[in-house]
Amino acid sequence: MTSSAAIPVIAIHGGAGTLSRNSISADQERTYHDALRCVLLPPQRLLASGGSALDAVTLAVEMLEDCPLFNAGHGSVFTHDGTHELDASVMDGANLRAGAVACVSRIRRPVRAARAVMEHSEHVLFVGPGAEAFAESVGLEMVSPGYFSTDARREQLQRALAASKTLLDHDGAALVFGNTPQTGTPLDESRKFGTVGAVALDARGNLAAATSTGGMTNKRVGRVGDTPLIGAGNYADNRTAAVSCTGTGETFMRAVAAYDVCARMAYGGQTLEQASTEVVMDALPALGGTGGLIAVDANGNVCLPFNSEGMYRGFARIGETPQTAIYR
Amino acid sequence: MTSSAAIPVIAIHGGAGTLSRNSISADQERTYHDALRCVLLPPQRLLASGGSALDAVTLAVEMLEDCPLFNAGHGSVFTHDGTHELDASVMDGANLRAGAVACVSRIRRPVRAARAVMEHSEHVLFVGPGAEAFAESVGLEMVSPGYFSTDARREQLQRALAASKTLLDHDGAALVFGNTPQTGTPLDESRKFGTVGAVALDARGNLAAATSTGGMTNKRVGRVGDTPLIGAGNYADNRTAAVSCTGTGETFMRAVAAYDVCARMAYGGQTLEQASTEVVMDALPALGGTGGLIAVDANGNVCLPFNSEGMYRGFARIGETPQTAIYR
């Protein structure tokens, strides 16, 4: 049953922020483009073979969680107390089912836990040890909290503690991708928002969205941002759009940013581009919000707006070459 | 500076559900009406003397938390593990500031902690021990978890464990209000949704909303419902409405119910009554959602729709006699 003639597409983001103060070599920039492209290819193939949007976004976010370049899963930032607290969410636009976990530190791939909450519980959101107990009960891979740590992120925490301030994301000069030390990153890591996400349209016309984060360096223990909150950092509804956000989480929560894109389309008759652009360029800045979002609608339109200087992003329609970008 | 000529008003709810299977005496029913009226009077006086909508909803929810008839604060239900996990949120419609706490068990009045998160942190949501540490750091009253326990709620858990199922709220035959044992409640406690909430309009035309809950009897530890999630169980925006929800939390989260009322008004040009009614009578039932909400707009319109057989509710305009109701 095909309700859409649109071409299936996957879009991803790896955080938004300002341009790096350091000059970045072409090699360093290429590392990020390569990472984004590597993440786009498997879900693109999955969609081409008739896979679901839900599976495509889960797969993309799992890969982003596994990549230490991005602040989610392995390579997550540290809290003030030197611990990790990860959040993730997923939503199926076909039936508005959703699942999420927050403040977890032992689940290797938080997005899989979010998916399990959606599929194997009556609930939508579990937090803390209860979320971990649930994930363990359904057989997900558990790790010691040290799994998420990297030397680069630990150094960031030390610098943040020394500077005695909360960094909204990670401030790392030396990030490691694979075994290759990186001495710079394209976006200024002290003013970048560390979230990853994916949205997709499949051949059946179904939309889905998934989002995951390692939080904020030096944040207070127990703080939860927009990532695991359905409607704030993540939303999907076949009738309107699938949306994944990244930015100053609190403003996205107050604006209910992801759902606001859908509401403007549903009730105001706006296009995906109008709705996404107004949320990112008008509604969020009115609250002091910085960041961006990725969105796709049932016609296969893709919109990747951000009000910061850059956002790690990319998309791939089936049968086409993946597109990746960092700056405007 | 008065931006509204509307009469200030406070509205409250104490949960929604089906009619009790037991026959209820007039005395028992009167106990609930009296409790609702007692909660309405102080915020009504506060609004009459020029107090803010934010202070009025905080005060109303504090009183509902203190009253053991309702599932929030003292008199909260037990989790499967015999513990308490309370959630609360508050939002100021004048500036879209918001605060919330989830999964807390040592803060006497969770709504005050939500208010403190809004006013004394850069964040919107804290969960678990981190939320308690924050509340303690700002001087809020802490209690031992036993403070929230009542014999009636403990008996409910025992019955729920025996029946081996999760009760969506509390199933209590013997609730205690003050020192008076109650042998029945107007709403069927096994099919009632235990949340309390308040919305208000003040003389300056500002709107505010607050919501609080003790969760679900026999729920899994770590499950969080719609109550502490800005946009799901609680929202306020001077341009549209203040909304507080009660019902099957997961469906309210998936529908982003509280914000959806505001979005229908903002983008669809609906009235408060149209928007509130469509959310409760169409959008939520489409997801299997049961419950209701209370809403007020900047013109002082009040709407208290529910799709269950009853909802503990009431409202009071300044200078008028408070109105309370349970059934349709």
Side-chain angles (χ1 to χ4, degrees), chain A residues 91 95-97 103 122-127 130 134 216 220-224 229-231 235 250 253-256 259-260 263-264 267-268 287, chain B residues 91 95-97 103 122-127 130 134 216 220-224 229-231 235 250 253-256 259-260 263-264 267-268 287:
Chain A
M91 187 161 187
N95 48 30
L96 304 188
R97 289 196 308 163
C103 283
E122 299 174 334
H123 301 306
V124 170
L125 173 60
F126 281 102
V127 305
F134 172 79
M216 312 188 312
R220 273 176 186 267
V221 170
R223 175 263 184 185
V224 173
L229 305 187
I230 301 304
Y235 204 77
E250 279 71 13
M253 294 162 78
R254 294 163 58 202
V256 199
Y259 183 68
D260 198 35
R264 287 167 187 264
Y267 308 131
L287 299 177
Chain B
M91 187 160 186
N95 47 32
L96 303 187
R97 290 196 308 164
C103 282
E122 298 174 335
H123 303 306
V124 169
L125 174 59
F126 279 102
V127 305
F134 173 78
M216 312 189 313
R220 273 177 187 267
V221 170
R223 174 263 186 186
V224 173
L229 305 187
I230 300 305
Y235 204 76
E250 278 71 13
M253 293 161 79
R254 293 161 59 203
V256 200
Y259 183 67
D260 197 34
R264 288 168 187 263
Y267 309 130
L287 299 176

XYZ file of all heavy atoms in Angstrom, chain A residues 91 95-97 103 122-127 130 134 216 220-224 229-231 235 250 253-256 259-260 263-264 267-268 287, chain B residues 91 95-97 103 122-127 130 134 216 220-224 229-231 235 250 253-256 259-260 263-264 267-268 287:
576
model
N 9.987 8.378 17.524
C 8.541 8.466 17.305
C 8.205 7.972 15.905
O 8.919 8.243 14.940
C 8.051 9.898 17.487
C 6.529 10.021 17.448
S 5.951 11.566 18.210
C 4.170 11.297 18.181
N 1.536 6.089 13.575
C 0.549 5.825 14.631
C 0.780 6.677 15.869
O 0.110 6.478 16.885
C 0.587 4.332 15.000
C 2.011 3.853 15.226
O 2.862 4.645 15.652
N 2.294 2.594 14.941
N 1.698 7.615 15.767
C 2.042 8.506 16.885
C 2.522 7.738 18.120
O 2.455 8.252 19.226
C 0.859 9.412 17.255
C 0.280 10.285 16.140
C -0.746 11.256 16.716
C 1.366 11.044 15.393
N 3.017 6.513 17.927
C 3.650 5.831 19.053
C 5.011 6.472 19.292
O 5.670 6.926 18.338
C 3.806 4.334 18.780
C 2.471 3.603 18.801
C 2.677 2.098 18.924
N 3.608 1.608 17.920
C 4.217 0.435 17.979
N 4.016 -0.372 19.005
N 5.025 0.058 17.010
N 18.435 10.430 31.396
C 19.335 10.243 32.540
C 19.770 8.803 32.692
O 19.740 8.258 33.802
C 18.679 10.732 33.828
S 18.697 12.509 33.996
N 3.911 -0.087 28.040
C 2.718 0.744 27.849
C 3.067 2.214 27.990
O 2.193 3.064 27.891
C 1.671 0.409 28.923
C 1.177 -1.015 28.919
C 0.252 -1.279 30.099
O 0.376 -0.598 31.130
O -0.602 -2.172 29.965
N 4.345 2.489 28.235
C 4.713 3.848 28.595
C 5.472 4.554 27.479
O 5.800 3.954 26.452
C 5.506 3.825 29.896
C 4.718 3.209 31.016
N 3.469 3.650 31.366
C 4.978 2.150 31.830
C 2.987 2.913 32.351
N 3.884 1.991 32.649
N 5.772 5.821 27.691
C 6.489 6.620 26.699
C 7.874 7.013 27.215
O 8.830 7.033 26.450
C 5.673 7.885 26.316
C 6.508 8.847 25.470
C 4.405 7.491 25.550
N 7.980 7.316 28.505
C 9.240 7.837 29.034
C 9.615 7.156 30.343
O 8.821 7.120 31.279
C 9.110 9.350 29.267
C 10.272 10.073 29.969
C 11.579 9.949 29.186
C 9.933 11.555 30.169
N 10.834 6.639 30.378
C 11.435 6.136 31.611
C 12.713 6.929 31.881
O 13.452 7.246 30.940
C 11.817 4.655 31.497
C 10.675 3.695 31.663
C 10.098 3.091 30.565
C 10.195 3.387 32.932
C 9.050 2.189 30.722
C 9.148 2.487 33.095
C 8.567 1.889 31.988
N 12.984 7.191 33.164
C 14.197 7.932 33.517
C 15.022 7.153 34.529
O 14.494 6.348 35.298
C 13.874 9.338 34.083
C 13.014 10.132 33.110
C 13.199 9.245 35.439
N 15.364 3.256 36.701
C 14.184 2.546 36.215
C 14.267 2.306 34.717
O 13.870 1.240 34.217
N 14.573 -1.359 32.883
C 13.699 -1.759 31.779
C 14.526 -2.220 30.580
O 14.252 -3.263 29.976
C 12.777 -0.601 31.370
C 12.005 -0.894 30.119
C 10.877 -1.697 30.167
C 12.428 -0.421 28.879
C 10.180 -2.020 29.016
C 11.741 -0.732 27.720
C 10.619 -1.533 27.787
N 25.072 18.126 28.450
C 25.923 19.303 28.433
C 27.104 19.076 29.363
O 26.927 18.630 30.498
C 25.169 20.531 28.973
C 23.789 20.753 28.400
S 23.111 22.348 28.954
C 23.451 22.276 30.708
N 24.438 20.190 35.766
C 23.961 19.654 37.029
C 23.385 18.261 36.801
O 22.670 18.037 35.823
C 22.817 20.504 37.572
C 23.215 21.685 38.419
C 21.936 22.444 38.773
N 22.195 23.682 39.467
C 22.234 23.805 40.793
N 22.054 22.752 41.565
N 22.448 24.982 41.344
N 23.642 17.366 37.727
C 23.068 16.027 37.655
C 21.545 16.125 37.706
O 20.993 16.873 38.503
C 23.601 15.164 38.823
C 22.845 13.857 38.919
C 25.094 14.916 38.643
N 20.874 15.385 36.835
C 19.422 15.342 36.853
C 18.743 16.294 35.891
O 17.541 16.208 35.680
N 19.515 17.222 35.283
C 18.905 18.127 34.302
C 18.532 17.331 33.056
O 19.326 16.561 32.540
C 19.872 19.248 33.934
C 19.375 20.183 32.815
C 19.942 19.779 31.455
N 19.556 20.725 30.392
C 19.843 20.559 29.103
N 20.526 19.492 28.707
N 19.459 21.425 28.206
N 17.326 17.510 32.568
C 16.893 16.888 31.333
C 16.542 17.985 30.336
O 15.843 18.943 30.684
C 15.680 15.967 31.573
C 15.121 15.442 30.260
C 16.070 14.806 32.477
N 12.050 14.514 25.117
C 10.676 14.957 25.343
C 9.922 15.036 24.016
O 10.241 15.855 23.142
C 10.668 16.309 26.055
C 11.468 16.333 27.363
C 11.251 17.658 28.081
C 11.109 15.167 28.269
N 8.905 14.189 23.900
C 8.102 14.113 22.686
C 7.392 15.457 22.496
O 6.659 15.904 23.370
C 7.084 12.957 22.798
C 7.814 11.629 23.010
C 6.180 12.908 21.576
C 8.848 11.289 21.961
N 7.623 16.080 21.347
C 7.048 17.398 21.079
C 8.080 18.497 21.203
O 8.020 19.488 20.477
N 9.534 14.793 17.104
C 8.120 14.524 16.837
C 7.980 13.979 15.423
O 8.777 14.310 14.541
C 7.243 15.781 16.994
C 5.795 15.432 17.289
C 5.405 15.030 18.554
C 4.821 15.469 16.286
C 4.093 14.676 18.834
C 3.508 15.113 16.557
C 3.149 14.718 17.837
O 1.856 14.354 18.105
N 16.434 24.145 26.693
C 15.355 24.741 27.477
C 14.422 25.596 26.610
O 13.210 25.599 26.824
C 15.942 25.567 28.630
C 16.345 24.727 29.849
C 17.566 23.852 29.649
O 18.304 24.027 28.659
O 17.797 22.962 30.492
N 12.146 23.371 24.692
C 11.090 22.828 25.550
C 9.977 23.858 25.729
O 8.788 23.535 25.628
C 11.672 22.454 26.921
C 12.679 21.309 26.859
S 13.738 21.192 28.345
C 12.621 20.403 29.492
N 10.349 25.100 26.020
C 9.345 26.146 26.268
C 8.548 26.438 25.006
O 7.362 26.810 25.077
C 10.042 27.409 26.778
C 10.675 27.222 28.155
C 11.698 28.300 28.457
N 11.119 29.619 28.398
C 11.817 30.745 28.195
N 13.137 30.677 28.041
N 11.214 31.892 28.137
N 9.178 26.309 23.832
C 8.490 26.550 22.561
C 7.815 25.290 22.010
O 7.114 25.353 21.012
C 9.477 27.089 21.531
N 8.034 24.141 22.649
C 7.533 22.851 22.143
C 7.871 22.775 20.641
O 7.007 22.572 19.784
C 6.030 22.668 22.393
C 5.644 21.190 22.307
C 5.617 23.210 23.755
N 6.994 19.803 17.874
C 5.558 19.725 17.591
C 5.053 21.013 16.960
O 4.108 20.996 16.154
C 4.764 19.416 18.866
C 3.295 19.265 18.569
C 2.839 18.185 17.815
C 2.368 20.209 19.007
C 1.503 18.055 17.507
C 1.024 20.076 18.700
C 0.599 19.000 17.946
O -0.730 18.865 17.630
N 5.677 22.139 17.296
C 5.226 23.417 16.736
C 5.335 23.424 15.212
O 4.490 24.018 14.528
C 6.036 24.566 17.340
C 5.354 25.922 17.144
O 4.101 25.978 17.190
O 6.066 26.916 16.934
N 2.267 21.588 14.123
C 1.035 22.333 14.394
C 0.842 23.463 13.393
O -0.280 23.729 12.942
C 1.073 22.880 15.821
N 1.925 24.144 13.034
C 1.816 25.221 12.047
C 1.361 24.669 10.697
O 0.617 25.335 9.969
C 3.175 25.927 11.883
C 3.545 26.802 13.059
C 5.014 27.225 13.018
N 5.397 27.933 14.228
C 5.418 29.255 14.355
N 5.121 30.019 13.330
N 5.753 29.817 15.496
N -2.618 23.265 11.398
C -3.678 24.234 11.688
C -3.520 25.533 10.906
O -4.502 26.225 10.664
C -3.707 24.551 13.187
C -3.762 23.317 14.057
C -2.892 23.145 15.126
C -4.684 22.299 13.785
C -2.943 22.002 15.915
C -4.736 21.153 14.558
C -3.852 21.013 15.624
O -3.900 19.880 16.392
N -2.276 25.875 10.539
C -2.038 27.138 9.847
C -1.851 26.971 8.351
O -1.693 27.961 7.636
N 12.771 33.632 22.230
C 13.035 33.140 23.588
C 14.533 33.066 23.873
O 14.944 32.532 24.900
C 12.424 31.736 23.762
C 10.908 31.611 23.594
C 10.473 30.149 23.722
C 10.177 32.467 24.621
N 4.129 26.903 34.617
C 4.520 27.740 33.479
C 3.861 29.104 33.604
O 2.697 29.224 33.981
C 4.137 27.072 32.155
C 4.668 27.808 30.930
S 4.713 26.727 29.467
C 5.527 27.811 28.283
N 5.830 35.090 29.881
C 7.171 35.055 29.287
C 7.575 33.643 28.857
O 8.718 33.438 28.461
C 8.199 35.609 30.293
C 8.012 34.997 31.672
O 7.603 33.840 31.774
N 8.302 35.749 32.719
N 6.649 32.712 28.942
C 6.894 31.311 28.582
C 8.007 30.679 29.413
O 8.607 29.693 28.996
C 7.202 31.165 27.088
C 6.151 31.707 26.115
C 6.518 31.322 24.680
C 4.753 31.224 26.453
N 8.279 31.236 30.584
C 9.208 30.542 31.476
C 8.493 29.337 32.080
O 7.277 29.373 32.311
C 9.708 31.466 32.589
C 10.656 32.546 32.077
C 11.434 33.182 33.222
N 10.533 33.645 34.276
C 10.921 33.957 35.509
N 12.191 33.844 35.850
N 10.047 34.386 36.404
N 9.966 12.325 39.226
C 10.550 11.232 40.001
C 11.227 11.714 41.270
O 12.351 11.310 41.570
C 11.545 10.445 39.151
S 10.744 9.328 38.008
N 18.875 27.749 35.343
C 18.813 28.024 33.902
C 18.016 26.944 33.190
O 17.866 26.992 31.981
C 20.226 28.030 33.312
C 21.146 29.087 33.858
C 22.562 28.921 33.320
O 22.937 27.787 32.946
O 23.273 29.938 33.273
N 17.531 25.970 33.940
C 16.947 24.798 33.320
C 15.430 24.755 33.467
O 14.828 25.599 34.135
C 17.611 23.544 33.889
C 19.103 23.557 33.693
N 19.666 23.740 32.457
C 20.123 23.467 34.571
C 20.988 23.740 32.574
N 21.281 23.578 33.849
N 14.820 23.782 32.832
C 13.365 23.625 32.882
C 12.975 22.357 33.648
O 11.989 22.359 34.375
C 12.768 23.593 31.449
C 11.293 23.172 31.474
C 12.909 24.959 30.780
N 13.759 21.287 33.503
C 13.363 20.000 34.093
C 14.531 19.326 34.795
O 15.602 19.151 34.199
C 12.821 19.068 32.989
C 12.474 17.629 33.371
C 11.412 17.562 34.460
C 12.009 16.847 32.133
N 14.306 18.969 36.050
C 15.249 18.138 36.793
C 14.509 16.873 37.226
O 13.337 16.931 37.592
C 15.749 18.845 38.060
C 16.845 19.837 37.834
C 16.576 21.197 37.822
C 18.148 19.426 37.643
C 17.584 22.132 37.630
C 19.169 20.348 37.449
C 18.892 21.706 37.440
N 15.228 15.742 37.213
C 14.603 14.492 37.631
C 15.417 13.818 38.740
O 16.627 14.029 38.857
C 14.432 13.500 36.445
C 13.671 14.146 35.302
C 15.775 12.970 35.978
N 18.901 14.373 41.495
C 19.384 15.692 41.077
C 18.347 16.766 41.348
O 18.685 17.888 41.755
N 18.728 19.856 44.053
C 18.454 21.245 43.686
C 17.449 21.870 44.651
O 17.647 22.986 45.151
C 17.930 21.345 42.250
C 17.474 22.731 41.902
C 18.395 23.718 41.592
C 16.126 23.063 41.947
C 17.983 25.009 41.321
C 15.696 24.360 41.668
C 16.633 25.333 41.353
N 1.042 6.636 39.265
C 0.072 5.561 39.128
C 0.390 4.471 40.151
O 1.543 4.059 40.282
C 0.176 4.901 37.741
C 0.221 5.854 36.570
S 0.088 4.977 34.992
C 1.261 3.649 35.219
N 5.759 0.993 37.208
C 7.184 0.699 37.168
C 7.956 1.919 37.654
O 7.639 3.053 37.285
C 7.642 0.461 35.728
C 7.507 -0.957 35.232
C 7.936 -0.950 33.774
N 7.707 -2.221 33.122
C 8.623 -3.191 33.028
N 9.824 -3.025 33.540
N 8.341 -4.301 32.391
N 9.019 1.660 38.421
C 9.883 2.740 38.875
C 10.511 3.432 37.663
O 10.959 2.768 36.737
C 10.972 2.189 39.817
C 12.028 3.241 40.109
C 10.337 1.694 41.112
N 10.515 4.750 37.675
C 11.162 5.509 36.602
C 10.234 5.956 35.492
O 10.628 6.764 34.662
N 8.981 5.462 35.473
C 8.039 5.912 34.445
C 7.657 7.356 34.735
O 7.349 7.729 35.861
C 6.790 5.034 34.435
C 5.689 5.539 33.488
C 4.629 6.355 34.215
N 3.509 6.726 33.345
C 2.516 7.530 33.721
N 2.496 8.040 34.931
N 1.542 7.826 32.878
N 7.704 8.193 33.698
C 7.271 9.580 33.828
C 6.112 9.802 32.868
O 6.177 9.400 31.701
C 8.428 10.554 33.521
C 7.934 11.993 33.494
C 9.536 10.394 34.559
N 5.832 17.457 31.927
C 6.355 17.767 30.596
C 5.637 18.979 30.008
O 4.433 18.930 29.733
C 6.209 16.551 29.683
C 6.845 15.261 30.230
C 6.789 14.172 29.176
C 8.276 15.501 30.688
N 6.405 20.041 29.804
C 5.865 21.293 29.284
C 5.329 21.029 27.873
O 6.064 20.575 27.005
C 6.970 22.372 29.274
C 7.489 22.605 30.705
C 6.451 23.677 28.667
C 6.438 22.946 31.731
N 4.052 21.324 27.671
C 3.417 21.065 26.379
C 2.512 19.852 26.423
O 1.501 19.807 25.741
N 0.732 23.850 30.073
C 1.255 24.904 29.196
C 0.524 26.210 29.489
O -0.639 26.189 29.890
C 1.085 24.554 27.708
C 2.087 25.291 26.836
C 3.410 24.876 26.781
C 1.721 26.430 26.119
C 4.344 25.564 26.034
C 2.658 27.127 25.360
C 3.969 26.681 25.319
O 4.908 27.365 24.569
N 0.268 8.850 28.840
C 1.015 8.543 27.618
C 0.327 9.114 26.373
O 0.993 9.585 25.449
C 1.208 7.027 27.492
C 2.377 6.482 28.313
C 2.161 6.490 29.821
O 1.016 6.696 30.266
O 3.151 6.307 30.553
N 0.954 12.765 26.179
C 2.319 13.047 25.721
C 2.403 12.936 24.202
O 2.991 13.788 23.534
C 3.298 12.061 26.368
C 3.429 12.235 27.875
S 4.141 10.778 28.713
C 5.882 11.009 28.346
N 1.820 11.865 23.653
C 1.893 11.639 22.205
C 1.125 12.717 21.439
O 1.492 13.067 20.308
C 1.356 10.249 21.874
C 2.230 9.126 22.424
C 1.477 7.804 22.500
N 0.987 7.394 21.192
C -0.038 6.563 20.993
N -0.687 6.055 22.039
N -0.412 6.255 19.793
N 0.041 13.225 22.041
C -0.756 14.271 21.395
C -0.245 15.669 21.729
O -0.739 16.649 21.175
C -2.215 14.150 21.832
N 0.760 15.783 22.640
C 1.222 17.084 23.124
C -0.013 17.937 23.463
O -0.190 19.052 22.980
C 2.124 17.788 22.097
C 2.982 18.861 22.783
C 3.051 16.802 21.390
N -0.193 21.855 24.835
C 0.234 22.813 23.816
C -0.685 22.776 22.610
O -0.882 23.785 21.928
C 1.683 22.547 23.382
C 2.153 23.587 22.392
C 2.310 24.902 22.798
C 2.388 23.271 21.057
C 2.702 25.880 21.891
C 2.782 24.234 20.151
C 2.939 25.533 20.581
O 3.314 26.500 19.690
N -1.280 21.630 22.324
C -2.154 21.517 21.159
C -3.355 22.458 21.276
O -3.800 23.009 20.266
C -2.630 20.068 20.993
C -3.190 19.792 19.602
O -2.675 20.380 18.627
O -4.135 19.006 19.483
N -1.960 25.754 20.222
C -1.621 25.786 18.795
C -2.870 25.918 17.929
O -2.873 26.644 16.931
C -0.842 24.522 18.416
N -3.940 25.223 18.311
C -5.190 25.342 17.544
C -5.730 26.762 17.600
O -6.306 27.258 16.628
C -6.235 24.364 18.101
C -5.950 22.906 17.770
C -6.835 21.965 18.593
N -6.438 20.582 18.400
C -7.020 19.749 17.540
N -8.034 20.157 16.812
N -6.600 18.522 17.413
N -2.834 29.107 15.522
C -2.663 28.924 14.078
C -3.976 28.640 13.363
O -4.111 28.908 12.172
C -1.673 27.786 13.798
C -0.378 27.935 14.544
C 0.160 26.889 15.277
C 0.314 29.153 14.536
C 1.350 27.030 15.985
C 1.496 29.305 15.249
C 2.006 28.240 15.963
O 3.170 28.391 16.656
N -4.947 28.066 14.089
C -6.216 27.699 13.463
C -7.330 28.677 13.750
O -8.438 28.511 13.236
N -6.372 8.409 19.961
C -5.210 7.650 20.445
C -5.593 6.731 21.607
O -4.720 6.126 22.236
C -4.108 8.612 20.906
C -3.532 9.562 19.848
C -2.520 10.507 20.484
C -2.891 8.770 18.716
